[in-house]
Amino acid sequence: MPDKDTGGGRTYCRPRILMVVAKKPAPAPKPEPQTRAERVLGFMVVAIIGLSIIAIAGILIGYATKANNGAGFWQIIDLLPGIGLPIGFILLIVLLVLTFVRRSRAAKGAGK
């Protein structure tokens, strides 16, 4: 029954404070650190795709300024995105597969 306080002829009920004791949440499992192969593949993907994007920007700037005449240095710049982007995409797929395999093995190991 709530405590009653009378004041000025009125009856007031003070609400009681309920204290709920909650269980502590289970600690989150620490993520597995990346392997060296995953780190190297990640940096390779970023470097190859980044270099290809820079080459695309160089091609656009070269054509806009009429500096790209298709000889010498520009042949390499013109060829780089055509080779770099597919290789970067393949390396990205390999990185995803390696990551999924590692996580599935970690999940199976945690379930035991």
Side-chain angles (χ1 to χ4, degrees):
M1 180 169 191
D3 297 335
K4 292 186 179 181
D5 184 19
T6 57
R10 295 184 184 163
T11 303
Y12 296 101
C13 293
R14 284 189 234 144
R16 292 194 179 199
I17 298 173
L18 298 175
M19 298 195 57
V20 178
V21 179
K23 292 181 181 179
K24 290 184 179 179
K30 292 183 180 179
E32 297 260 337
Q34 288 183 338
T35 62
R36 180 176 286 179
E38 289 175 348
R39 274 195 306 269
V40 169
L41 274 174
F43 283 116
M44 286 172 61
V45 167
V46 170
I48 291 173
I49 292 177
L51 188 63
S52 296
I53 291 173
I54 291 171
I56 290 171
I59 292 168
L60 293 174
I61 292 170
Y63 281 129
T65 60
K66 308 243 191 264
N68 188 348
N69 57 8
F73 173 72
W74 289 106
Q75 289 178 344
I76 297 170
I77 299 298
D78 287 342
L79 187 63
L80 190 62
I83 294 173
L85 289 175
I87 290 173
F89 183 71
I90 290 170
L91 289 176
L92 183 64
I93 299 295
V94 169
L95 177 63
L96 287 173
V97 168
L98 285 177
T99 303
F100 289 150
V101 167
R102 178 181 52 86
R103 286 188 179 183
S104 68
R105 285 182 184 166
K108 286 179 186 176
K112 289 183 180 179

